[in-house]
Structure formats: C-alpha cells, structure tokens
Amino acid sequence: MRKIIHIDMDAFYASVEQRDDPSLRGKPVVVAWRGARSVVCAASYEARTFGIHSAMPAVRAERLCPQAVFVPPDFVRYKAVSRQVREIFLRHTALVEPLSLDEAYLDVTDALSEIPTATAIAEDIRRQIREETALTASAGIAPNKFLAKIASDWRKPDGQFVVRPHQVDAFLTPLPVKKIPGVGKVMQAKLLALGIERVGQLRERPLEELQQRFGSFGASLFRRARGIDERQVQPDQPVQSISAEDTFEHDLPLQDLAPAITRLAIKTWDASRKTERVGHTVVLKLKTSQFRILTRSLTPDTPPASLEALTQIALSLCTRVQQPQDTLYRLVGVGLGSFREREEVLSQGSLFGETSG
C-alpha cells in the first residue's frame, strides 16, 4: 500500500503578492493583466468571496468586484518560490512529481526522513513551507494520487485531510461525479441523463455498460468510482511538448497572423533549448472569434534543427487552415511535440539530415 501526499499551495500567486506587499493583505487581489482579452491567473481568498476564480476573463472579475486590486503576474518570482518549496519536498522523498508551480505529488512510502507516518510528514512539510516562505499549503494524504488530489481540496486553506485505505468507499460515495478527473460539464450532463449524480451511483453501474457507453473512459470511470488508481509518482517526467500562445487584443484575419506566429516560434524554440530532448512535430493552434479551436501539425522527416526551420513550418501550416476568408482569430499558438532523447535522434543521423556511414 502506497502513501501519497498531494501538496497544493493556497492561492499561490496572489499569496506571494500579499506576502511581498503588506498593503495588499486582507484585500481582494486579482493576479492578471488588465484588458479585454486578459484572464485571471489567480485570486486571493478575499477575491474568491466575490465569485472570482482563475481562468475567468479579467473584465468579468472587475465587474464582480470593482474594488479588486489587479496585480500583473511576476512568474520569475513565483518560480523562485516554487523552487524553495520543491527543496522542502526533496528533504522527505526523491519521488516528487510537480504538476505546476504550486502543486505536486509526493510518494512517501519509503520516506527519507524518520517521521513515522504520511500524515506527520505532510504536517512537517506544511510547517516548513510556512516558516521558510511565509506562505501556506494544503495537503491530501491517501493510498493513491487520485484520492490524494481530491483530499487536498477538503480543508483549504492551510489544512490537510487523510483518506485511509478502509475509508475509501465511504469517502467517495457521496461525492459529485464532477470530482473525478476528466468529468467536465459535457460528461457530467451525460451521466446525469443516466441518473448518475454521485460517485456511489456510478459505482453501481457494471464495467460493461460504462465501456459500451463511454469507451475506454468508461473503464476509467469504473476504476475511479472504486478509488482505484495505479499511476505511480513520476519524478522528472521527460518533456513531451512545449508551446507558447497569445490572445490578441483584437481579432485578426489569418493573413495578419505571421508576426505573432514568428514571435511565438521564438519563445517555443528558446524553451526547447533548455531540455536535452528534441521535438519533432510542429503544431499550430488557432482559436476563432467564435471560440472554435483548430490545430494543424506537421512531422517532417527530420526534426526542426533551427529557429528558422521551426518558424517556416509553423507559418506554412497556415495554408492548411481551410476556413472562410472572413474568419477572425482571437488566439494563436506554436508548439513542438513528439519529443525524443537527443542521443536517439543523433544515433539515427537525423538531426541535421545526415546519413550514417
């Protein structure tokens, strides 16, 4: 039986801003750029009482709370604090799987510290975070990642919750099915049409029925309803994809996107140089003014070996966007995917189009 902890920093970006600027403490802080196309990166708990949450349009947040203090995000600072927190994790276990700057899974089954229980380890981690960063974190402790992530949200902020093996069924039974990862509004509506609103009701459905209705996701629903999650904590996961995107202040036609694509290709290329792996597939992402998302991709015979090559491919993908000429776009993104180890690419003599002798 594994012992998994999910640590989630409380209102991380907003809390860093309130910590560093005492005048913001106790006020509704919204971390976002102002503007019609901006979205909320984070909201303090004071702002959340007005219904503001991350990913919400900034203009809507301003309508909900006109007195909110808007602070532009400072990701350099957030990353520095995230590294501090990561160092605290590593005192207890080498098995740390970051999910983002503000949350991570830890496998403490065989912990490095001599603290006897996972519950006590989580308490010690939260104490160290509070003492060394002046920030708070919440924790979920459970036999697997799925349960630990749900549990970490149970006593926020600055709390923790334990789901012991014998408590799994009782814990899951009353939960709404939306708590299961992958169950968004569309899937929620499909399950509700079947009379399934709670996890306990989902557990009553046989595997065959769920697979017939929802394919492979049906099997996942069957397992999650029983608290089954065999995924291991994966430290230092290899890069699978890198991308950069931008939302325009005003919608633009396809023929005006080249400058933005070129700029985003530079960001993506620079980020890809920080990994030892090599990206092979170039991806162009577009979002229309009607919020329809389009993607076009190309996997050339040899991976892009320069910024110029990446940019050229990204620009060429525009010719494969078969939309009416008057279509306007609010967002564009450039990505690199299908990453492989550099040694593997070099051994095949393909990085620069070479052939082995």
Side-chain angles (χ1 to χ4, degrees), residues 158-210:
D158 196 19
Q160 65 182 56
F161 189 80
V162 185
V163 181
R164 295 177 173 84
H166 69 277
Q167 299 171 327
V168 171
D169 284 354
F171 175 69
L172 286 175
T173 295
L175 293 184
V177 289
K178 67 180 181 182
K179 288 288 187 180
I180 298 176
V183 178
K185 291 183 179 179
V186 174
M187 179 58 68
Q188 208 177 332
K190 291 180 179 179
L191 291 171
L192 187 59
L194 299 174
I196 301 172
E197 188 176 2
R198 304 284 173 180
V199 175
Q201 296 169 316
L202 178 62
R203 195 184 301 139
E204 296 171 359
R205 300 301 178 109
L207 174 62
E208 294 75 16
E209 178 191 354
L210 293 175

Side-chain angles (χ1 to χ4, degrees), residues 229-241:
D229 181 6
E230 297 172 348
R231 294 173 301 158
Q232 296 183 355
V233 171
Q234 300 283 352
D236 299 321
Q237 290 196 53
V239 173
Q240 300 297 331
S241 64

Side-chain angles (χ1 to χ4, degrees), residues 72-282:
D74 183 348
F75 290 104
V76 173
R77 256 191 312 144
Y78 307 151
K79 288 177 182 178
V81 179
S82 181
R83 284 194 294 271
Q84 270 186 284
V85 173
R86 191 82 47 84
E87 289 171 2
I88 294 172
F89 296 160
L90 293 171
R91 297 170 194 168
H92 297 270
T93 177
L95 296 177
V96 177
E97 180 182 336
L99 300 178
S100 60
L101 292 179
D102 61 346
E103 62 175 321
Y105 289 116
L106 289 73
D107 187 333
V108 296
T109 309
D110 298 305
L112 299 174
S113 58
E114 296 182 358
I115 301 174
T117 67
T119 301
I121 291 173
E123 289 173 345
D124 196 54
I125 288 172
R126 291 176 49 244
R127 176 189 61 79
Q128 292 177 53
I129 290 173
R130 187 165 48 250
E131 291 178 355
E132 297 179 30
T133 71
L135 299 170
T136 64
S138 298
I141 305 99
N144 60 48
K145 293 163 75 170
F146 162 60
L147 293 168
K149 186 169 176 64
I150 295 177
S152 68
D153 199 40
W154 219 247
R155 288 185 179 157
K156 268 187 164 292
D158 196 19
Q160 65 182 56
F161 189 80
V162 185
V163 181
R164 295 177 173 84
H166 69 277
Q167 299 171 327
V168 171
D169 284 354
F171 175 69
L172 286 175
T173 295
L175 293 184
V177 289
K178 67 180 181 182
K179 288 288 187 180
I180 298 176
V183 178
K185 291 183 179 179
V186 174
M187 179 58 68
Q188 208 177 332
K190 291 180 179 179
L191 291 171
L192 187 59
L194 299 174
I196 301 172
E197 188 176 2
R198 304 284 173 180
V199 175
Q201 296 169 316
L202 178 62
R203 195 184 301 139
E204 296 171 359
R205 300 301 178 109
L207 174 62
E208 294 75 16
E209 178 191 354
L210 293 175
Q211 284 183 314
Q212 183 178 8
R213 291 182 181 276
F214 306 116
S216 60
F217 188 64
S220 178
L221 288 172
F222 181 85
R223 291 192 298 271
R224 296 294 183 266
R226 288 156 179 76
I228 299 171
D229 181 6
E230 297 172 348
R231 294 173 301 158
Q232 296 183 355
V233 171
Q234 300 283 352
D236 299 321
Q237 290 196 53
V239 173
Q240 300 297 331
S241 64
I242 292 174
S243 63
E245 59 184 46
D246 191 15
T247 300
F248 307 127
E249 186 175 352
H250 304 288
D251 297 338
L252 297 174
L254 187 65
Q255 62 267 24
D256 291 351
L257 299 185
I261 292 173
T262 302
R263 184 174 66 254
L264 293 170
I266 294 172
K267 287 186 177 182
T268 299
W269 181 257
D270 288 346
S272 74
R273 298 302 87 194
K274 297 176 183 178
T275 175
E276 290 301 312
R277 309 187 90 219
V278 177
H280 203 147
T281 300
V282 180

Side-chain angles (χ1 to χ4, degrees), residues 282-308:
V282 180
V283 180
L284 177 69
K285 174 184 175 182
L286 299 169
K287 183 185 288 186
T288 71
S289 56
Q290 303 302 314
F291 290 86
R292 182 186 174 193
I293 295 176
L294 309 171
T295 58
R296 299 293 183 267
S297 63
L298 176 68
T299 303
D301 292 337
T302 60
S306 66
L307 168 61
E308 291 73 19

